[in-house]
Amino acid sequence: MLVFNFAPFPNLETNRLNLRRLKSEDVDEIFVLRSNPEIMQFIPRPLITTKEEAHEFITVMDTNVNNNNVINWAITNKEEDKLIGMIGFYRMKPENYRAEAGYILSPEFHGKGIITEALERVIQFGFEEMGLNSIEAVIDPENFGSEKVLLKNNFVKEGHFKEHTFFEGKFLDSVFYSLLKKNY
């Protein structure tokens, strides 16, 4: 079974982006991202409604990173250390050498290849540094932007699960994509 150790925190870099640890100064940007129903429409998680909840989110992520349960990065442009999105491995299955990737990006940065670029670097980290054999992503079937990002990064569709998740009184479909290390 894999054992993860995220200390010291692994800051990552791409051509245009820095991927760094979340910090308390990110609270305003996290609040904007996680409180916006349009941004969160494909992410079955409760909306954050206060800045205190945004602070709590940062604290929970920090604790999970410290406990090696998840790894989550703030996405920032190299010119400015302002959070524009987040990316990470959220559901880790060390016994299966597998983790689930997830991401969120401020709408003003959509369509610029930012998530594709960040995901490419996170995939590299997952396979080369964490020792993963496979990375999965679970998306809403209507999330065509996310599907495009996954296909650009060589993920393949594994299955479409009908009414897979119950959230806010509704059953939601889930589409699973994966990337195997040997196909990376």
Side-chain angles (χ1 to χ4, degrees), residues 6 23 47 59 93 104 106-107 114-115 127 129 135 142 144 163 172:
F6 303 125
K23 52 190 181 181
L47 292 176
T59 302
K93 300 169 187 160
I104 187 170
S106 180
I114 288 172
I115 290 294
F127 288 141
E129 305 295 321
I135 298 170
E142 301 295 309
F144 303 115
E163 299 183 2
L172 306 172

Side-chain angles (χ1 to χ4, degrees), residues 20-38:
R20 60 150 172 85
R21 191 170 193 150
L22 290 178
K23 52 190 181 181
S24 56
E25 293 83 6
D26 297 325
V27 69
D28 291 337
E29 290 79 19
I30 287 172
F31 178 74
V32 168
L33 279 175
R34 296 289 310 258
S35 67
N36 184 324
E38 195 177 315

Side-chain angles (χ1 to χ4, degrees), residues 27-28 30-31 48 50-59:
V27 69
D28 291 337
I30 287 172
F31 178 74
I48 286 177
T50 64
K51 290 243 175 109
E52 289 73 32
E53 288 179 3
H55 267 295
E56 180 61 22
F57 175 83
I58 294 169
T59 302

Side-chain angles (χ1 to χ4, degrees), residues 69-159:
N69 296 327
V70 304
I71 181 77
N72 182 49
W73 291 271
I75 302 170
T76 68
N77 284 310
K78 282 193 171 174
E79 307 79 56
E80 189 181 5
D81 187 41
K82 181 180 176 229
L83 181 143
I84 61 170
M86 292 180 285
I87 191 166
F89 293 120
Y90 297 96
R91 287 191 190 97
M92 310 262 257
K93 300 169 187 160
E95 68 282 4
N96 296 322
Y97 294 75
R98 189 172 178 103
E100 180 184 333
Y103 39 81
I104 187 170
L105 185 67
S106 180
E108 66 200 86
F109 296 97
H110 286 187
K112 298 179 186 330
I114 288 172
I115 290 294
T116 300
E117 185 174 322
L119 182 59
E120 193 174 276
R121 182 63 184 95
V122 167
I123 289 167
Q124 179 186 15
F125 180 82
F127 288 141
E128 295 177 9
E129 305 295 321
M130 291 173 60
L132 297 174
N133 181 63
S134 62
I135 298 170
E136 68 185 34
V138 182
I139 66 169
D140 183 291
E142 301 295 309
N143 193 345
F144 303 115
S146 192
E147 179 186 46
K148 231 163 117 175
V149 165
L150 294 170
L151 294 174
K152 279 184 193 169
N153 275 288
N154 298 319
F155 280 72
V156 295
K157 184 176 176 178
E158 285 189 341

